[in-house]
Amino acid sequence: METKRYVFMFEEGSAKQKEMLGGKGANLAEMTRIGLPVPHGFTISTEACRRYIESGNQLFPGLMEQVWEALTRLEEKAGKRLGLREQPLLVSVRSGAVFSMPGMMDTILNLGLNDETVEGLAAATGDRRFAYDCYRRFIQMFGNVVMKMQHGAFERILERHKDAAGVEFDHLLDADQLVAIIANYKEHIRRATGQPFPLDPRQQLTMAIEAVFSSWNNPRAKVYRQTNGIPEHLGTAVNVQMMIFGNMGETSGTGVVFTRDPSTGHPGLYGEFLTNAQGEDVVAGIRTPKPIAEMSRDLPEAYRQLVDTCQLLEKHYGDMQDIEFTVEKGILFLLQTRTGKRTAAAAVRIAHDLVEEGKIDRAEAVRRIEPTQMTKILHRGIDPDAKLEAVARGLPASPGAATGQVVFDPDLAEKLGKEGQKVILVRPETTPDDIHGIIPAQGILTSRGGMTCHAAIVARGMGKPCVCGCEALRIDMDNETVAVAGRTIKAGDVVSIDGATGAVYIGEVPMVDPTLGEEFGAILRWADDLRHLGVRANADTPEDARKAREFGAEGIGLCRTEHMFMAQDRLPIVQEMILAETLDERQAALDKLLPIQQGDFEEILEAMEGLPTTIRLLDPPLHEFLPKVDELLAEIALLRGQGDYHAAAQREQVLRRARALEEANPMLGFRGCRLGIVYPEIYAMQARAIFQATVNLLRRGFRPQPEVMIPLVGHPNELLALRQLVEEVKAEVVRASGIEFNCPIGTMIEVPRAALVADQIAGTAEFFSFGTNDLTQTTFGFSRDDAEGKFLHQYLHRKVLEHNPFEVLDEEGVGQLIRLAVDGGRRTVPGLKVGICGEHGGEPRSIDFCHRAGLNYVSCSPYRVPVARLAAAQAALRNS
Ligand code: PEP
Ligand code: MG
């Protein structure tokens, strides 16, 4: 004997039972519970659907008995009976999953009609045409959804009859014409399926329930679940509800209303309605719905009720609602309420306003906002209403949208940029050499590289749109063309990219401006009151530093000094330094760099006045500053061919050095503190530049707070040697200037050994900062430049890994090292200051981990600072 219950009357449930009743069912139950006018009905649970699917798409014993019992109760409430000619009950059968999947699964309306009941409906409504129109729609919907027949065949029959009757619109067909259409529909069903259209309403209901269960696994629902991360096993509930008719004349109608504007968040009802119509008419687009405000004139009493109900529902749920309603002969009925989907801008405005109106508290407002969505409102975006087709999709590497002419050559990008033209720099990948072309570009598009490739990091840092790893692009650099989707894009053609979605479009697209308003600022300040983690920015230039401050950064957690070496006016000097054969020659080059670096630091420290600024000494391998060996070979051959042997000989010297610096595994090679140990004069120059800049600012009345950070330390001795070096330089600057100042010297923890011996390293370090980009690559043994382009997408596709560990911090592996290092460090130095400056510092799930691991701050690119402020507050709320 089956005792488990699978079927629940609306009055038995509540909003808390979403898992069992689905979102729609739970909300219908809730509205019934609080006394709102909801047509009677019942819900078949999601569990029933799961059992149905597990049983090989078969109804299991006991289920339909429960359905018939519920039906009897529904009939009693409605005062109507399914299949009875007098006062026939008609029902809708709708899917309703736990997570809303709009339009993905099936719906059947007007169920219960047959050759008998249609006459009863005609008699009850006094409208024969109306009754037969419902019947026709029902057969068509049932044939299509339940009996899996093509929609088009029904449409063709309908068209034929309209032509014969000489009418343009469905509603101009009279009852007899509809009767003839119905006969043709039934005949068509019998011929096409070998089965008659079922006239028994109980058989109709059984078949409809099975169809809704099965629609959980239709292809569009599967795709929707995949793209929205909805688990496959949940199943859908089925709601069986008494039909209400919005098409019973001019005092009836139907519509959809949001309690606030879903695109801007403005208060006030937003939506549309149609008089004398059923739900399908609104979506079918045959008649244009009217703005909801006009309902106050057409259906005044129902409108007043609707306004009150909207307020009540919003207050009850504490959030903006998306409501479906129908008015039958002047009486309002609610068919659905759910939390309304909204744009990022509207989400902010609504959360803010609900607090002001006393409907939710500040913490709830902060909780409501999806941090990553916020990057969307800080950039220009593509108009969400535009109907556009992407020619290709790459990785959404840096949000924001951009349009411009395609340029392959960074020099040309620079030139056109100076002329004020808009360009999109298109390259297979970018390198530090391309920076001068990246700066003036509106956006960057590459065919290779992952979310942390050079282009992606640089673009995010600049808040510049970037799509990378767009493998569908066949970029031919020699001919300056891109082949994609059977088309060829040439230099100078206009393209658009959307760095928030990875989409690439040909031509211009309509854009919308970012709307960063007062409300956003207010919510971020509420977040600041809630969070424990500090938020700093990764910024390498004074502009970045200013931007970061504007977005609320409380300091710089990582200033990468190599980007300063890449600028056009410095690179030749840096190359001179690298090519130097003797210490004197190298020192001469460094002497030229010193004032330039000092100027950089002075500007950045000034921009960060009063806030800590962590400056990292040189990190990348030196060959990154030299041209590539291949390019040099080609250049030398060309110079020789032109007879310019002198220039060729000069380039050969560069070639020799480039070859000498070549490494099998550059990421594990001669970089980071290893450079500082072998060429102490480089680090000494940088330290001097930092300290002299500090002294200058102090003289000018500022309060600079520099912090020096040594990269890639794995052994305490590395840090010890370099710390001594930096301290000696500091002592010299203090002695020469007569000005004392404080400057903590700390280290990055970015190789596993450093994490393992963190207790020893802490004796020498005044702070730790986790470089989780390198720590991820060295912990996994993945080269980050290669992994993302080569195998990582396969790993993700095949679910070997759930997330890209360069995006979302790998808590089990890398996270364990971080915890170990925090513990070790604080065992030696209680209260040791610890932060993170890898890309994960701006990623909400990783920020949650940083909170739990007891870090003091996270540091991320300026445009992700607001994201981090919110995510840090949410982490505090979640883990409190
Ligand atoms: C890191 O490794 O996480 C880091 C911040 O340094 P970079 O990305 O410059 O190697
Ligand atoms: Mg690093």
Side-chain angles (χ1 to χ4, degrees), residues 616 619 671 750 774:
R616 176 179 75 183
D619 180 55
R671 55 172 288 222
E750 50 183 345
D774 273 307

Side-chain angles (χ1 to χ4, degrees), residues 33 38 71 104 145 186 203 257 313 316 332 372 523 569 571 589 610 620 629 647 650 677 682 708-709 740:
R33 200 176 66 78
V38 174
L71 179 66
M104 292 303 125
V145 171
K186 287 194 203 151
Q203 191 189 348
V257 67
L313 280 173
H316 186 75
L332 176 75
T372 44
I523 291 182
D569 55 332
L571 197 58
V629 167
Q650 278 183 335
I677 302 269
I682 299 178
V708 170
M709 183 156 74
E740 269 291 349

Side-chain angles (χ1 to χ4, degrees), residues 589-652:
L590 287 167
D591 289 346
K592 284 194 237 170
L593 277 174
L594 176 66
I596 303 177
Q597 277 260 279
Q598 190 177 323
D600 293 332
F601 295 140
E602 202 165 322
E603 262 194 86
I604 289 174
L605 287 166
E606 184 177 334
M608 294 311 287
E609 161 62 4
L611 296 178
T613 303
T614 308
I615 300 169
R616 176 179 75 183
L617 303 186
L618 196 64
D619 180 55
L622 294 181
H623 64 76
E624 284 197 10
F625 301 97
L626 296 182
K628 293 208 165 50
V629 167
D630 293 353
E631 284 168 24
L632 283 165
L633 284 170
E635 207 184 324
I636 291 164
L638 189 72
L639 289 168
R640 285 229 179 90
Q642 291 165 344
D644 191 346
Y645 296 103
H646 179 69
Q650 278 183 335
R651 296 313 271 167
E652 270 164 4

Side-chain angles (χ1 to χ4, degrees), residues 6 175 194 209 220 282 323 327 333 570 581 731 754 771 814 823 830:
Y6 295 99
I209 291 169
R220 63 178 194 276
V282 181
I323 296 163
V327 179
F333 290 93
R570 292 106 191 257
E581 311 250 341
V814 178
D823 284 354

Side-chain angles (χ1 to χ4, degrees), residues 410-700:
D411 297 341
L412 181 62
E414 187 178 33
K415 180 171 164 286
L416 295 175
K418 281 200 183 120
E419 292 167 10
Q421 301 205 43
K422 292 189 159 57
V423 307
I424 304 285
L425 184 66
V426 181
R427 316 260 313 158
E429 64 202 331
T430 65
T431 69
D433 293 337
D434 303 332
I435 192 75
H436 60 294
I438 294 177
I439 293 166
Q442 306 301 304
I444 317 298
L445 174 60
T446 74
S447 58
R448 288 204 288 267
M451 293 291 282
T452 55
C453 69
H454 177 264
I457 293 185
V458 171
R460 275 200 293 276
M462 294 179 182
K464 196 180 284 292
C466 172
V467 172
C468 63
C470 188
E471 291 175 12
L473 305 181
R474 294 273 154 267
I475 301 178
D476 178 345
M477 291 298 282
D478 294 335
N479 294 307
E480 301 214 318
T481 58
V482 183
V484 58
R487 303 173 65 164
T488 304
I489 303 170
K490 297 189 296 298
D493 289 354
V494 172
V495 296
S496 301
I497 60 170
D498 186 346
T501 63
V504 180
Y505 304 93
I506 292 183
E508 232 176 284
V509 296
M511 303 271 197
V512 286
D513 271 333
T515 46
L516 173 59
E518 249 173 66
E519 290 93 2
F520 190 32
I523 291 182
L524 289 175
R525 282 190 299 278
W526 301 338
D528 294 343
D529 292 338
L530 294 163
R531 66 184 159 87
H532 306 176
L533 280 169
V535 176
R536 296 195 190 184
N538 293 357
D540 311 336
T541 63
E543 297 85 74
D544 280 358
R546 281 189 281 271
K547 198 45 99 227
R549 264 199 112 130
E550 184 191 320
F551 286 151
E554 297 156 316
I556 287 180
L558 173 63
C559 174
R560 289 178 167 105
T561 49
E562 58 268 22
H563 293 166
M564 300 168 183
F565 282 19
M566 293 291 179
Q568 277 313 76
D569 55 332
R570 292 106 191 257
L571 197 58
I573 313 175
V574 175
Q575 291 179 344
E576 214 177 292
M577 168 191 83
I578 296 170
L579 295 174
E581 311 250 341
T582 65
L583 181 59
D584 285 348
E585 274 175 35
R586 186 154 45 251
Q587 194 56 54
L590 287 167
D591 289 346
K592 284 194 237 170
L593 277 174
L594 176 66
I596 303 177
Q597 277 260 279
Q598 190 177 323
D600 293 332
F601 295 140
E602 202 165 322
E603 262 194 86
I604 289 174
L605 287 166
E606 184 177 334
M608 294 311 287
E609 161 62 4
L611 296 178
T613 303
T614 308
I615 300 169
R616 176 179 75 183
L617 303 186
L618 196 64
D619 180 55
L622 294 181
H623 64 76
E624 284 197 10
F625 301 97
L626 296 182
K628 293 208 165 50
V629 167
D630 293 353
E631 284 168 24
L632 283 165
L633 284 170
E635 207 184 324
I636 291 164
L638 189 72
L639 289 168
R640 285 229 179 90
Q642 291 165 344
D644 191 346
Y645 296 103
H646 179 69
Q650 278 183 335
R651 296 313 271 167
E652 270 164 4
Q653 192 202 350
V654 178
L655 176 67
R656 271 195 299 281
R657 194 74 181 117
R659 278 208 167 122
L661 288 170
E662 255 182 336
E663 290 178 302
N665 287 310
M667 280 298 136
L668 298 178
F670 188 18
R671 55 172 288 222
C673 61
R674 302 155 202 173
L675 287 171
I677 302 269
V678 177
Y679 300 117
E681 55 280 8
I682 299 178
Y683 273 21
M685 180 280 287
Q686 290 197 295
R688 186 174 302 277
I690 294 167
F691 298 140
Q692 290 182 359
T694 303
V695 163
N696 277 351
L697 284 168
L698 287 166
R699 284 200 180 108
R700 290 167 52 207

Side-chain angles (χ1 to χ4, degrees), residues 181-193:
I181 294 172
I182 288 166
N184 280 173
Y185 273 11
K186 287 194 203 151
E187 181 50 33
H188 171 64
I189 290 176
R190 191 195 316 275
R191 247 187 294 116
T193 67

Side-chain angles (χ1 to χ4, degrees), residues 736-764:
S737 65
I739 295 179
E740 269 291 349
F741 55 90
N742 183 36
C743 176
I745 301 168
T747 184
M748 296 189 70
I749 303 285
E750 50 183 345
V751 297
R753 192 179 196 286
L756 295 170
V757 301
D759 56 337
Q760 297 171 36
I761 292 177
T764 314

Side-chain angles (χ1 to χ4, degrees), residues 361-393:
D361 64 17
R362 290 177 173 188
E364 180 57 23
V366 167
R367 232 181 251 123
R368 289 269 171 93
I369 292 173
E370 167 57 65
T372 44
Q373 251 207 337
M374 289 309 104
T375 50
K376 292 197 186 131
I377 67 176
L378 298 172
H379 297 91
R380 271 168 78 71
I382 292 178
D383 184 347
D385 293 332
K387 301 249 176 303
L388 299 169
E389 204 163 319
V391 281
R393 263 173 212 282

